[in-house]
Amino acid sequence: MTTVAEVTGGEEGTAGPYALSHLDALESEAVHIFREVAGEFENPVILFSGGKDSIVMLHLALKAFAPAPVPFSLLHVDTGHNFPEVLEYRDRVVAAHGLRLHVASVQDYIDRGVLKERPDGTRNPLQTLPLTEKIQSEKFDAVFGGGRRDEEKARAKERVFSLRDEFSQWDPRRQRPELWNLYNGRHAPGEHVRVFPLSNWTELDVWQYIAREGIELPEIYFAHEREVFRRAGMWLTAGEWGGPKDTETTEKRLVRYRTVGDMSCTGAVDSDATTLDAVITEIAASRLTERGATRADDKLSEAAMEDRKREGYF
Amino acid sequence: MTTTTTEALSATTLLRFATAGSVDDGKSTLVGRLLHDSKSVLTDQLEAVERASASRGQDGPDLALLTDGLRAEREQGITIDVAYRYFATPRRRFILADTPGHVQYTRNMVTGASTAELTVVLVDARNGVVEQTRRHAAIAALLRVPHVVLTVNKMDLVDYQESVFAAIAEEFTAYATELGVPAVTAIPISALTGDNVVEPSAHMDWYGGPTVLEYLETVPVSHDLSHCHARLPVQYVIRPQTAEHPDYRGYAGQIAAGSFRVGEEVTVLPSGRTTRISGIDLLGAPVDVAWTTQSVTVLLQDDIDVSRGDLIVPSKDAPATTQDVEATVCHVADQPLTVGHRVLLKHGTRTVKAVVRDIPSRLTLDDLSLHPHPGRLVANDIGRVKIRTAEPLPVDSYADSRRTGSFILIDPSDGTTLTAGMVGESFAAPEPVKNASEEEGWDF
């Protein structure tokens, strides 16, 4: 009846002359999200861990505002249990693009006695307080996170613009419906909006995009020999954070990481993938999700991610 | 650094679609099968579902747990919100807006349909077209979802009879066509046994059409730009002011409709100033032409005043601007929308003050009857509204442009998203719809 009626003849329909490839469509959408935030917020920040998702976010932001610099600063929530290669990468990227880096340090909070080390040594849940206090003290009103809805079932319900109250809490029952691409960033003073430009990306999309754009990654994403030990079904890296225990023995294995996080709870996977293509082939064939394979903290309970998100975790 | 593997994978297109189905029509089973048969349910996810099912004392894995992600949903065994799911085949990647089927969740279906290029409507073969089916068809029509797929499910329970399928398909297609749905594809399936979902059915050799997945993989997603009014809402002005780019001044935005070309004469709304496009940057690289939905930066020949919220359009095809917007809306908030309500209206990249002047009618989705002057709209209501805006807006008819014909209303006091709006005449308008491409826009 109208102009929406039967669009193009499109034989087979897969690639008409004006169809974007799925990576171009995802890229265009993410850039639109970055620009909406730049247009509507006073003081946005990008959460930057040096992991592949935040690296892709930064790459998209650089493209979105080229040839001008990225109008956002970066925030790293430092658990104190970092992979040295990742910290080195972080500092190099920050310097290369003339960015401003904020650091919220879990170790500081532990040293001051505000946070207590957990018996299992895992610091991921301890990130929430330093993160939310930093958001408050720096008055960030939009906080970009690299979260993807394919990661976890609570995240499948996450909005692109996700309002957080003055305590940074997420209430899944009180989310704003998101219609078309009309994102609503209104918030009261003290509240902020978490923004997820990679919402619609999958792990494979991220890797394909990294390959297409030739984006450099920290080396821990590629297969390398490493001293590891077994805990809760995962290969963990020995380190100053308190592993291995006396009962655990280390061995040298060829491994790589699928995610980058706190060393105490981020596991490596056996792999001989030393190139991007090999990594993509490996992921396409994997029968485990990224988090299922490598994150201990999500296994704490059936709703572990939802519960941490409610408290203000990203 | 690409090889055949990555190139083949990244050359695929993206299809956004939504599902609509009542609680017992087998929507979860269909979604589960699409995810499962496309190998998108991974071992650890399935194990988690098995663990959770066992701890609830269920015999087998409850696949609904794959899609019910929130604590409250699992506790209550209901789905309370839209969830987005992802799966892929070698030919295409899919974003599925998985929307609950309860009538009280009309807003969720509207939300899912707003970004969908295709809606899958499920019908139970034993029950045929029911009220809920009509609602789903009406919402797909209202949101102008370009493709509607009717899946007649549970064919195994009606002995795979062609006559059952044909009767339902005919009734639904007639109804949907009356609503203005441009194209309906009907597929007889059994989500439980997998007939015609991913694999062709061995029980229905009378059916010669595609399986659900085949159809999803091949339905066209590109648009015929020759019939689209080109529109670029300006999101952000890029001004590096660096030694390298002292004079660069680019207008960044995602093309909402149509295409733009270097050298083209354009008008900036609402000011009405005219100039030419001197360059287009596609994320850092110059191009001659760009089209919907690319995010671009446009450079203009003359140094005219352009800022966020403006709309760049071809001079020969500029919409009129107006302060009186008439639209069909779906109310999505718990607090009602009333006549006299002062709101914010976000259209494209522009947010303006507005007031609800009138609510002429509320639509009953079941039979498409109109309830005159309801006074207010409550959550999940669909109705007609007349809105006066504080500044003139260049709105298109939603029938012409889903992007520049849509808007949201926002409560200025707490920022709540109140209402989803579609400009122009309702799909249920009593008068016949005007001729397609020559349409002048909307009637006020």
Side-chain angles (χ1 to χ4, degrees):
Chain A
M1 75 186 234
T2 66
T3 48
V4 286
E6 258 336 284
V7 288
T8 63
E11 315 86 60
E12 284 302 286
T14 26
Y18 297 108
L20 303 187
S21 78
H22 84 275
L23 286 181
D24 285 334
L26 292 172
E27 178 186 61
S28 180
E29 177 183 68
V31 164
H32 174 258
I33 293 161
F34 277 112
R35 289 168 169 178
E36 279 299 281
V37 171
E40 295 214 327
F41 291 83
E42 295 290 322
N43 192 19
V45 69
I46 300 178
L47 289 176
F48 189 82
S49 65
K52 65 182 185 311
D53 299 315
S54 56
I55 289 169
V56 166
M57 276 207 296
L58 179 59
H59 181 85
L60 288 161
L62 287 162
K63 289 185 91 169
F65 301 99
V70 174
F72 315 125
S73 52
L74 303 185
L75 168 58
H76 182 216
V77 182
D78 182 346
T79 64
H81 294 158
N82 299 294
F83 294 94
E85 302 93 322
V86 176
L87 280 189
E88 185 270 328
Y89 180 96
R90 177 196 78 180
D91 294 337
R92 195 151 40 83
V93 165
V94 165
H97 300 295
L99 297 160
R100 178 165 178 216
L101 176 74
H102 305 267
V103 178
S105 162
V106 173
Q107 189 63 53
D108 278 359
Y109 278 72
I110 292 172
D111 293 347
R112 284 193 279 128
V114 182
L115 286 175
K116 270 209 183 80
E117 195 89 74
R118 293 160 51 103
D120 62 5
T122 291
R123 286 186 171 181
N124 250 15
L126 303 185
Q127 293 180 78
T128 301
L129 187 68
L131 168 67
T132 55
E133 289 201 347
K134 193 61 141 184
I135 290 170
Q136 296 298 328
S137 67
E138 296 287 336
K139 297 189 165 50
F140 294 126
D141 52 0
V143 180
F144 288 103
R148 308 188 317 263
R149 291 182 184 134
D150 82 317
E151 283 179 84
E152 207 273 341
K153 53 192 187 297
R155 281 198 171 158
K157 306 237 161 185
E158 180 67 90
R159 298 293 179 263
V160 174
F161 273 39
S162 183
L163 184 67
R164 302 302 168 99
D165 66 13
E166 58 189 307
F167 301 102
S168 295
Q169 295 179 117
W170 182 62
D171 183 350
R173 304 201 91 155
R174 298 199 46 192
Q175 301 191 88
R176 293 169 177 166
E178 246 164 23
L179 297 134
W180 300 285
N181 63 341
L182 296 169
Y183 303 113
N184 177 358
R186 304 282 296 187
H187 60 283
E191 296 177 341
H192 71 278
V193 174
R194 296 281 171 91
V195 182
F196 301 100
L198 305 184
S199 284
N200 286 323
W201 297 50
T202 64
E203 183 187 17
L204 195 55
D205 295 329
V206 167
W207 279 104
Q208 286 176 357
Y209 188 72
I210 287 167
R212 187 185 87 169
E213 300 285 303
I215 301 169
E216 192 204 335
L217 290 181
E219 312 216 326
I220 66 168
Y221 278 113
F222 300 98
H224 55 289
E225 275 215 334
R226 181 177 279 269
E227 284 280 330
V228 290
F229 65 93
R230 198 83 175 153
R231 183 184 291 176
M234 294 190 312
W235 294 115
L236 297 181
T237 292
E240 290 170 13
W241 56 269
K245 292 177 196 156
D246 295 343
T247 53
E248 295 162 331
T249 51
T250 62
E251 58 184 284
K252 252 203 162 106
R253 294 187 76 89
L254 194 59
V255 294
R256 66 173 203 90
Y257 284 86
R258 280 174 78 175
T259 66
V260 163
D262 186 79
M263 281 175 92
S264 64
C265 63
T266 305
V269 293
D270 288 314
S271 169
D272 56 8
T274 53
T275 64
L276 281 170
D277 279 330
V279 169
I280 289 171
T281 305
E282 188 180 287
I283 288 167
S286 172
R287 301 303 304 149
L288 286 179
T289 65
E290 174 180 347
R291 292 199 161 257
T294 64
R295 286 298 179 94
D297 46 337
D298 290 336
K299 295 181 177 167
L300 295 177
S301 85
E302 201 183 332
M305 171 72 88
E306 178 184 347
D307 293 344
R308 275 184 290 135
K309 279 168 66 68
R310 280 174 177 275
E311 286 165 20
Y313 187 78
F314 33 93
Chain B
M1 152 121 205
T2 44
T3 65
T4 28
T5 327
T6 53
E7 237 157 39
L9 284 168
S10 54
T12 58
T13 50
L14 191 63
L15 178 77
R16 290 172 197 246
F17 74 106
T19 53
S22 310
V23 187
D24 298 319
D25 287 349
K27 187 168 70 70
S28 308
T29 318
L30 176 61
V31 170
R33 189 158 283 282
L34 282 171
L35 294 174
H36 182 268
D37 292 5
S38 65
K39 298 189 169 54
S40 302
V41 180
L42 299 182
T43 313
D44 55 317
Q45 292 171 315
L46 207 54
E47 279 169 7
V49 165
E50 280 163 2
R51 256 197 324 273
S53 304
S55 75
R56 285 170 176 71
Q58 291 164 326
D59 290 338
D62 179 358
L63 285 177
L65 293 174
L66 274 175
T67 50
D68 288 343
L70 301 174
R71 194 180 274 281
E73 292 176 320
R74 287 193 300 273
E75 283 162 5
Q76 299 170 38
I78 56 157
T79 312
I80 59 172
D81 211 335
V82 186
Y84 294 88
R85 322 220 164 264
Y86 303 85
F87 66 99
T89 68
R91 303 175 80 172
R92 194 169 261 179
R93 301 185 70 78
F94 301 95
I95 299 177
L96 161 59
D98 187 9
T99 64
H102 296 276
V103 58
Q104 65 266 39
Y105 297 122
T106 301
R107 60 182 170 196
N108 291 339
M109 228 178 296
V110 167
T111 303
S114 73
T115 52
E117 289 149 303
L118 180 148
T119 295
V120 177
V121 176
L122 261 102
V123 165
D124 185 327
R126 296 168 303 174
N127 305 331
V129 174
V130 295
E131 262 180 35
Q132 189 75 331
T133 319
R134 281 190 250 278
R135 276 185 213 121
H136 297 153
I139 290 170
L142 182 68
L143 272 290
R144 313 257 175 189
V145 179
H147 305 274
V148 172
V149 180
L150 171 74
T151 51
V152 179
N153 192 21
K154 307 194 184 180
M155 286 300 291
D156 52 317
L157 300 182
V158 295
D159 295 330
Y160 300 105
Q161 288 177 73
E162 182 177 9
S163 56
V164 173
F165 168 73
I168 295 171
E170 193 185 340
E171 185 184 353
F172 181 86
T173 305
Y175 183 75
T177 307
E178 195 186 320
L179 294 174
V181 172
V184 175
T185 300
I187 305 176
I189 66 165
S190 167
L192 192 68
T193 57
D195 287 86
N196 287 337
V197 178
V198 173
E199 299 296 327
S201 171
H203 302 100
M204 293 180 271
D205 47 14
W206 47 263
Y207 173 74
T211 65
V212 175
L213 188 64
E214 257 170 44
Y215 187 71
L216 293 174
E217 283 182 315
T218 54
V219 64
V221 292
S222 61
H223 297 269
D224 181 359
L225 301 177
S226 58
H227 287 95
C228 287
H229 310 288
R231 303 287 185 253
L232 176 66
V234 175
Q235 280 190 283
Y236 191 76
V237 182
I238 294 178
R239 289 178 62 208
Q241 296 178 291
T242 55
E244 208 185 330
H245 301 280
D247 302 317
Y248 188 100
R249 192 178 169 87
Y251 305 102
Q254 187 177 27
I255 297 176
S259 61
F260 288 91
R261 200 172 277 282
V262 173
E264 191 173 357
E265 190 182 74
V266 290
T267 297
V268 179
L269 297 172
S271 75
R273 290 204 171 82
T274 291
T275 180
R276 279 182 193 280
I277 295 178
S278 58
I280 301 174
D281 282 350
L282 182 61
L283 305 183
V287 293
D288 291 331
V289 58
W291 56 86
T292 180
T293 53
Q294 291 180 326
S295 280
V296 296
T297 307
V298 163
L299 305 162
L300 300 179
Q301 214 167 62
D302 303 298
D303 196 10
I304 59 177
D305 179 21
V306 185
S307 58
R308 174 173 170 85
D310 289 348
L311 186 71
I312 296 176
V313 300
S315 300
K316 59 178 168 27
D317 182 24
T321 59
T322 180
Q323 284 180 260
D324 291 292
V325 178
E326 189 168 349
T328 301
V329 300
C330 176
H331 192 63
V332 296
D334 290 331
Q335 65 257 48
L337 187 76
T338 53
V339 175
H341 209 133
R342 290 189 177 273
V343 294
L344 296 170
L345 185 154
K346 183 171 185 181
H347 169 254
T349 52
R350 195 176 193 84
T351 303
V352 298
K353 288 183 181 173
V355 61
V356 179
R357 277 200 310 139
D358 192 15
I359 302 178
S361 61
R362 190 184 66 220
L363 178 72
T364 307
L365 272 180
D366 307 346
D367 59 359
L368 302 181
S369 64
L370 294 174
H371 180 289
H373 298 286
R376 57 188 216 152
L377 297 176
V378 301
N380 296 302
D381 274 354
I382 287 174
R384 299 282 294 159
V385 298
K386 291 181 176 175
I387 299 163
R388 174 82 181 171
T389 59
E391 297 164 45
L393 290 178
V395 291
D396 284 300
S397 163
Y398 186 76
D400 284 350
S401 169
R402 292 174 86 192
R403 283 278 172 95
T404 48
S406 57
F407 61 85
I408 55 172
L409 299 183
I410 298 169
D411 187 324
S413 66
D414 63 3
T416 304
T417 299
L418 295 170
T419 305
M422 290 151 281
V423 178
E425 58 189 39
S426 167
F427 74 99
E431 68 273 20
V433 175
K434 282 178 283 177
N435 224 343
S437 53
E438 290 309 305
E439 207 161 87
E440 276 299 342
W442 57 90
D443 56 338
F444 287 108

